[in-house]
Amino acid sequence: MSNTRPLLEVRNLRVEFPTRRGTLVALDDVSFDIHPGEVLGVVGESGAGKSMTGAAIIGLLEPPGRIAAGSISLAGRRIDNLPYKEMRTVRGREIGAIFQDPLTTLNPLYTVGRQLVETMTTHLPLNPAQARKKAIEWLELVGIPAAAQRIDSYPHEFSGGMRQRVVIALALCAEPKLIVADEPTTALDVSIQAQVIALLKTLAREKGTSMMLVTHDMGVIAETADRVAVMYAGRIAEIGAVRQVVKHPAHPYTIGLMGSIPPISHRMDRLLQIEGAMPRLSAIPKGCAYNPRCPRVFDRCRGERPELLDAGDTRAACWLYDRADKDAAHAVAESGYGEVRHA
Amino acid sequence: MLERSVATPLPPASGGTPMLETDDVARFFDVSRPLIQRVIAREGKRMLRAVDGVSFAIPKGTTLSLVGESGCGKSTVARLVVGLYGPTRGKVFFDGQDLAVARSDASQRRRMQMIFQDPYASLNPRWRVRDIIAEPIRAFGLAQGTVEIDARVAELLTQVGLSPLDGQKYPHEFSGGQRQRISIARALSSNPEFLVCDEPTSALDVSVQAQILNLMKDLQSRLGLTYLFISHNLAVVRQVSDRVGVMYLGRLVELAPAETLFTTPRHPYTRALMEAIPDLDMTGRQRIPVGGEVPSPINPPSGCPFHPRCPLANDRCRAQRPELVAARGTPETQVACHAVEEGRDDPRPAPAEAQRAA
Ligand SMILES: Nc1ncnc2c1ncn2[C@@H]1O[C@H](COP(=O)(O)OP(=O)(O)OP(=O)(O)O)[C@@H](O)[C@H]1O
Ligand SMILES: Nc1ncnc2c1ncn2[C@@H]1O[C@H](COP(=O)(O)OP(=O)(O)O)[C@@H](O)[C@H]1O
Ligand code: SF4
Ligand code: SF4
Ligand SMILES: [Mg+2]
Ligand SMILES: [Mg+2]
């Protein structure tokens, strides 16, 4: 997959929020690629910057938030500096968006059919009659029973799970190359979550659509993503193939995060826990942002900020993996790469 | 003098009177449209059966968990059990005493407290943390004078892993996990023996959830607390429970010791819930998501309420509602399912167990 040209290239992205008390840096030096047909999972605690990353890509950063540095390219074309109208076309045609609450996407005053038809006639060479036929097909595809009858229903006439299916149809119907899905199943019931994830996965595979899947649910990522980026305090802490990150995480934060997930397969006397909490944007520690909570911290971590380094099978922003650093090499040799209970 | 030092556990609890018992408890809500509209549309009253005939007992010093999907009635049970709602039918007993009687007596009321899902909404934003925690102490007269109250508040803050200095701050100055610690400190301030915890970690990140679950376990073993624990997350429930009840549309469909429930779940809905959990172990196991949606509790399906989604449903299931009875094969499990009773249920182990063996 890495031989192909990436579909999405995010480079050194920095997002700032100017406030009266100074500038808050919400995303700092975030870089990653998504390849054609690939699902990239983005995980991390609330406030880590997951949604911000998605919003920057689809050009919907809430003011006064702004991209202060870096670039975002889709199929080789810069999209972070497009005029509003042009970006709106990109958003419907080339990037589809799915949010946690289906009601933020659906217009309560229009039938779902009208919304699907409008999206398709705007972005595809279809007349309204053709679009309506396709709309019914899409509703069937996402599993709305009796789609031909339900097409003229309003969003409030559907259950939460059904609405999220409609949103998926809306995001996919203009056949975009990339889907940005921000916590698409978080608001749904456990049994409905499984249905929606299975649906997203099959559709993305069938249509060859790439996806950035933002969630705080590691289980969803493990099942759906090809690669995963773990975010902490506005930065990427670790990125790599999902199997490696889940089973053999390298970054001390990922190790703690994976360890704190309660297992379904057995009872533990105590769960592993990370002490403390993620810092606020206004108080991100110097050096490695994780250093006050890190059980492996050493002097260098408090002064110098680590870049993503090769850490065996993944890349981790952690000085433990700096082979040139004798202290770090020593620390790694002592403990081996991260081994988690789930492995 | 403080009533009970935090370090002294209650006497060991076994057998004896349960801390809490419900007997066929039900709570209906009137969700009818206004009378005029009903007359025009010629429709009758519409009753939502949020909880309909739930019976369980929680022995002292143990944890019973209730699991189930949104709207199945978990929070309504929680509110019935602490007396925030009166039952439409059935009875609740607190330490052997009718709950209505117990609630009218401050010395009994003090023994039960509730922790809610949303640590933001349940703390008064205009009060300092110290006053939030001191309020039950004052209300129940558990300590007199500023010095003694301050000492108790400091002790409680320390107990939940915060600093006594945090008492001077306001709730908004804390993170979600810290606010939940404050809610717990407040709940503990009346020296309760029974805590009802309604999704105490559902609004929290996993790393913070682990902190709070560990804290709740520590407190239980130190103080001998009894918990009614409510969650929709089966993995969390496995970590904390002695017994587990699975709810569907206002009823218990399965009630079993925790280990039994997770190793040999019997009800098709329990199995479906376990099947729905994403596979973190990445064994490549194909999950079969349960089809269909949760039906409305205003018009529950006839017979077994799970029948429209159940792979084992037959004519009897559509006509007759199964009672909660001892399960064939695992008699310590109570289950409401005709297929189990008839011996035509799925004999395979639980998905999670199969996964572990693989
Ligand atoms: N005061 C009320 N008036 C009318 N209906 C209510 C009331 N309280 C609860 N209900 C309904 O009763 C049913 C059970 O609600 P309950 O809050 O107990 O569910 P729950 O299992 O706690 O769900 P969740 O997981 O979403 O918290 C739901 O259908 C709900 O809409
Ligand atoms: N309008 C805003 N002004 C200032 N900070 C904001 C604003 N919106 C979000 N943030 C901050 O940006 C950070 C990242 O937020 P977000 O991307 O939503 O996190 P996540 O999706 O990972 O939970 C958080 O610390 C959040 O508080
Ligand atoms: S750089 Fe240092 S503080 Fe940061 S994660 Fe690595 S060891 Fe811990
Ligand atoms: S009683 Fe029938 S419909 Fe209900 S769970 Fe059992 S087999 Fe399924
Ligand atoms: Mg978010
Ligand atoms: Mg509830």
Side-chain angles (χ1 to χ4, degrees):
Chain A
M1 213 174 271
S2 44
N3 303 331
T4 56
R5 163 121 216 214
L7 172 69
L8 182 81
E9 291 161 283
V10 177
R11 289 288 170 272
N12 312 104
L13 181 66
R14 180 181 173 97
V15 169
E16 293 181 349
F17 280 88
T19 70
R20 258 175 282 142
R21 282 195 254 164
T23 301
L24 294 177
V25 183
L27 292 181
D28 195 5
D29 207 10
V30 169
S31 299
F32 61 88
D33 293 337
I34 302 182
H35 292 269
E38 186 183 47
V39 178
L40 176 76
V42 178
V43 289
E45 294 174 69
S46 66
K50 308 180 296 293
S51 300
M52 200 68 71
T53 309
I57 292 169
I58 58 180
L60 285 181
L61 275 179
E62 252 176 66
R66 60 183 193 94
I67 296 178
S71 66
I72 303 170
S73 310
L74 186 71
R77 170 191 179 210
R78 284 279 293 266
I79 57 166
D80 54 278
N81 50 8
L82 293 180
Y84 179 78
K85 268 184 93 175
E86 229 172 297
M87 191 58 205
R88 222 172 63 179
T89 314
V90 169
R91 201 148 55 225
R93 178 73 190 88
E94 292 173 64
I95 309 180
I98 303 172
F99 299 104
Q100 173 167 345
D101 180 359
L103 293 177
T104 56
T105 309
L106 297 170
N107 186 331
L109 302 177
Y110 295 160
T111 65
V112 302
R114 174 162 174 192
Q115 299 183 49
L116 282 162
V117 166
E118 270 179 14
T119 306
M120 283 188 275
T121 50
T122 311
H123 297 296
L124 301 175
L126 293 175
N127 66 37
Q130 293 166 320
R132 187 176 163 90
K133 202 165 143 266
K134 278 220 102 170
I136 296 173
E137 285 171 26
W138 271 109
L139 290 177
E140 274 164 3
L141 206 57
V142 297
I144 305 279
Q149 280 102 66
R150 301 301 297 274
I151 185 166
D152 295 313
S153 307
Y154 290 88
H156 74 261
E157 297 173 67
F158 292 87
S159 70
M162 288 287 164
R163 277 183 212 140
Q164 199 60 304
R165 288 162 190 275
V166 173
V167 169
I168 292 174
L170 251 158
L172 284 161
C173 70
E175 295 166 18
K177 302 187 199 99
L178 174 70
I179 297 277
V180 174
D182 189 353
E183 310 265 6
T185 60
T186 306
L188 305 176
D189 267 324
V190 189
S191 69
I192 312 298
Q193 278 183 11
Q195 298 171 0
V196 169
I197 283 293
L199 173 70
L200 261 178
K201 214 161 106 178
T202 359
L203 287 181
R205 289 269 141 80
E206 273 170 19
K207 310 269 170 196
T209 317
S210 305
M211 181 153 63
M212 173 170 149
L213 176 63
V214 172
T215 170
H216 63 266
D217 187 337
M218 216 39 170
V220 168
I221 294 283
E223 284 214 331
T224 317
D226 301 304
R227 284 190 309 133
V228 55
V230 181
M231 294 194 68
Y232 186 81
R235 309 166 184 190
I236 291 181
E238 182 163 5
I239 184 164
V242 67
R243 199 177 184 82
Q244 298 308 327
V245 174
V246 168
K247 294 218 156 196
H248 307 283
H251 195 285
Y253 173 64
T254 320
I255 295 172
L257 188 67
M258 294 305 304
S260 62
I261 301 173
I264 182 74
S265 55
H266 58 283
R267 179 179 170 131
M268 299 176 70
D269 283 338
R270 279 184 82 73
L271 294 164
L272 298 181
Q273 65 179 55
I274 308 177
E275 301 304 331
M278 201 170 61
R280 296 177 189 193
L281 291 186
S282 52
I284 293 184
K286 212 168 144 264
C288 171
Y290 189 54
N291 86 67
R293 304 172 76 186
C294 181
R296 309 289 307 278
V297 59
F298 57 112
D299 277 349
R300 188 177 180 188
C301 312
R302 298 189 186 94
E304 265 179 90
R305 176 178 164 178
E307 302 298 317
L308 283 172
L309 299 167
D310 272 324
D313 297 311
T314 70
R315 291 173 67 74
C318 171
W319 287 129
L320 289 175
Y321 300 95
D322 183 5
R323 301 209 176 228
D325 187 319
K326 282 204 212 75
D327 288 347
H330 175 72
V332 170
E334 225 166 56
S335 68
Y337 290 107
E339 283 293 326
V340 208
R341 161 177 59 76
H342 290 290
Chain B
M1 187 49 210
L2 303 181
E3 278 220 350
R4 173 159 58 89
S5 156
V6 285
T8 320
L10 291 173
S14 61
T17 317
M19 190 81 218
L20 189 102
E21 199 170 355
T22 69
D23 180 18
D24 190 37
V25 74
R27 171 72 203 204
F28 302 164
F29 294 104
D30 187 343
V31 291
S32 314
R33 294 197 289 170
L35 181 65
I36 308 233
Q37 285 181 26
R38 285 207 329 260
V39 171
I40 296 170
R42 291 170 193 247
E43 58 178 36
K45 280 204 164 189
R46 295 208 302 169
M47 282 306 208
L48 185 152
R49 299 168 170 237
V51 171
D52 195 359
V54 165
S55 305
F56 58 76
I58 317 177
K60 289 184 178 143
T62 70
T63 301
L64 172 80
S65 294
L66 295 179
V67 282
E69 296 179 87
S70 185
C72 70
K74 306 179 296 294
S75 298
T76 306
V77 170
R79 294 172 154 260
L80 283 164
V81 150
V82 294
L84 289 174
Y85 287 150
T88 307
R89 186 185 77 230
K91 277 212 145 61
V92 180
F93 299 97
F94 178 69
D95 203 2
Q97 199 178 18
D98 190 304
L99 183 68
V101 178
R103 293 288 308 172
S104 62
D105 176 352
S107 70
Q108 294 300 310
R109 219 159 50 231
R110 160 194 84 66
R111 299 172 63 201
M112 58 185 108
Q113 290 290 342
M114 186 155 170
I115 300 168
F116 296 91
Q117 166 169 355
D118 188 353
Y120 304 79
S122 56
L123 301 174
N124 187 332
R126 282 185 296 275
W127 286 18
R128 287 183 200 274
V129 164
R130 129 174 230 298
D131 297 315
I132 291 174
I133 296 174
E135 198 244 357
I137 303 177
R138 290 208 181 88
F140 290 112
L142 299 177
Q144 265 75 46
T146 320
V147 176
E148 207 175 289
I149 293 178
D150 281 354
R152 177 71 179 132
V153 169
E155 186 183 13
L156 285 159
L157 282 168
T158 312
Q159 200 168 27
V160 298
L162 294 172
S163 151
L165 296 173
D166 287 331
Q168 292 310 312
K169 298 185 189 162
Y170 291 93
H172 75 260
E173 296 175 65
F174 294 89
S175 69
Q178 290 170 325
R179 284 182 222 197
Q180 199 55 293
R181 288 174 192 267
I182 296 168
S183 312
I184 295 173
R186 180 181 196 276
L188 291 177
S189 69
S190 69
N191 296 324
E193 290 147 52
F194 177 48
L195 280 187
V196 176
C197 313
D198 190 358
E199 309 252 16
T201 63
S202 301
L204 307 175
D205 280 308
V206 280
S207 64
V208 184
Q209 167 172 278
Q211 296 173 355
I212 297 293
L213 293 177
N214 285 340
L215 171 66
M216 290 182 58
K217 282 188 171 192
D218 289 349
L219 291 171
Q220 181 166 45
S221 59
R222 271 195 295 172
L223 305 176
L225 299 172
T226 307
Y227 289 139
L228 174 62
F229 186 91
I230 289 173
S231 175
H232 63 270
N233 184 329
L234 280 168
V236 166
V237 162
R238 184 157 201 179
Q239 304 309 312
V240 299
S241 318
D242 296 299
R243 289 174 66 75
V244 180
V246 180
M247 289 187 70
Y248 192 73
L249 274 188
R251 295 174 187 275
L252 276 174
V253 296
E254 184 160 0
L255 181 63
E259 265 320 288
T260 314
L261 186 102
F262 284 99
T263 49
T264 42
R266 302 301 300 276
H267 197 281
Y269 178 62
T270 312
R271 301 183 71 96
L273 274 185
M274 291 193 184
E275 189 70 46
I277 297 168
D279 178 6
L280 197 56
D281 287 346
M282 309 189 70
T283 50
R285 171 175 64 93
Q286 271 302 306
R287 292 196 289 131
I288 313 138
V290 53
E293 308 258 329
V294 184
S296 151
I298 300 178
N299 285 310
S302 65
C304 170
F306 189 56
H307 87 249
R309 306 173 77 188
C310 181
L312 303 177
N314 64 11
D315 285 344
R316 183 182 177 202
C317 303
R318 285 181 275 274
Q320 186 193 349
R321 198 184 63 236
E323 297 295 327
L324 192 68
V325 293
R328 179 196 277 254
T330 50
E332 68 278 24
T333 298
Q334 286 180 283
V335 65
C337 172
H338 295 313
V340 173
E341 187 213 305
E342 292 160 12
R344 57 177 184 89
D345 61 326
D346 191 344
R348 287 175 309 163
E353 294 306 310
Q355 185 178 309
R356 186 152 59 139

